[in-house]
């Protein structure tokens, strides 16, 4: 993965005055999935109003039935409460996991903060086992910082 190039791509999308915020997030999902071979599903979940649940927003990849995820449930719901990156090299080793298909082997979720408040996250599924490194966390933290500026 070429982190510098991807960061530049993300930054250009965020700064594109012709795009609405939801279009920017959609393009970010598409760019990440197209450019990182082991990113098979890329999506954003955000807190659903005042409810303690996450709601699926923009995504790239196979449609999922998990459009609402209660806080605490699955990898995503745990990150909504922990405020921490969650890297899962092997989803089969997780008890509190919501499957989005038998192809998915691993997952990474990075929270998005606005004024120190966890407002949502980027969620990535991979069909490869154990593909994520520190570079993925660095890239995705950058993405989350940029997406936070849209709120
Ligand atoms: N696997 C997630 C559910 C969302 S899908 O990956 C799109 C979880 O355990 O929270």
């Amino acid at each position: 993965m070429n982190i510098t190039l991807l960061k530049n791509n993300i930054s250009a999308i965020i700064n594109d005055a012709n795009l609405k915020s939801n279009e920017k997030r959609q393009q970010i999902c598409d760019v990440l999935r197209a450019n990182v071979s082991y990113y098979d599903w890329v999506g954003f979940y955000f807190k659903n109003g005042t409810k303690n649940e996450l709601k699926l927003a923009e995504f790239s990849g196979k449609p999922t039935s998990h459009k609402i995820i209660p806080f605490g449930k699955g990898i995503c719901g745990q990150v909504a409460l922990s405020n921490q990156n969650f890297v899962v090299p092997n989803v089969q080793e997780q008890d509190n996991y919501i499957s989005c298909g038998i192809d998915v082997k691993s997952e990474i979720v990075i929270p998005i903060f606005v004024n120190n408040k966890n407002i949502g996250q980027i969620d990535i599924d991979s069909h490869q086992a154990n593909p994520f490194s520190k570079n993925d966390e660095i890239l995705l933290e950058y993405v989350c910082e940029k997406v936070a500026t849209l709120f």
Side-chain angles (χ1 to χ4, degrees):
M1 121 175 8
N2 185 332
I3 284 219
T4 308
L5 193 69
L6 279 168
K7 281 185 174 177
N8 287 343
N9 283 346
I10 301 299
S11 174
I13 293 167
I14 293 287
N15 294 330
D16 188 337
N18 294 314
L19 295 174
K20 298 192 183 98
S21 292
N22 62 311
E23 294 169 331
K24 293 178 183 183
R25 288 190 296 265
Q26 183 63 54
Q27 286 203 10
I28 289 170
C29 291
D30 293 338
V31 160
L32 288 173
R33 192 164 77 99
N35 287 282
V36 185
S37 60
Y38 50 92
Y39 289 4
D40 291 296
W41 189 93
V42 180
F44 289 104
Y45 282 94
F46 293 103
K47 181 172 162 67
N48 190 13
T50 56
K51 296 182 186 166
N52 282 333
E53 63 184 28
L54 294 162
K55 188 177 178 192
L56 180 62
E58 298 75 22
F59 68 94
S60 180
K62 215 173 83 181
T64 173
S65 55
H66 302 294
K67 295 189 175 68
I68 299 284
I69 299 177
F71 281 13
K73 300 279 184 217
I75 307 304
C76 296
Q78 292 178 75
V79 169
L81 296 176
S82 73
N83 306 324
Q84 309 267 329
N85 296 352
F86 200 160
V87 183
V88 181
N90 177 0
V91 294
Q92 287 185 355
E93 289 175 356
Q94 295 293 320
D95 293 333
N96 189 357
Y97 169 69
I98 302 166
S99 174
C100 280
I102 49 163
D103 294 341
V104 179
K105 303 265 193 325
S106 55
E107 179 162 2
I108 183 169
V109 178
I110 309 289
I112 299 170
F113 299 99
V114 174
N115 297 327
N116 296 319
K117 226 177 140 234
N118 183 346
I119 62 142
Q121 51 193 238
I122 191 167
D123 174 24
I124 296 178
D125 287 343
S126 178
H127 296 170
Q128 289 185 39
N130 196 17
F132 303 115
S133 71
K134 197 69 201 164
N135 274 347
D136 295 279
E137 292 189 68
I138 290 167
L139 171 65
L140 298 172
E141 283 171 6
Y142 178 84
V143 169
C144 289
E145 278 166 31
K146 289 289 178 186
V147 167
T149 66
L150 302 174
F151 289 84

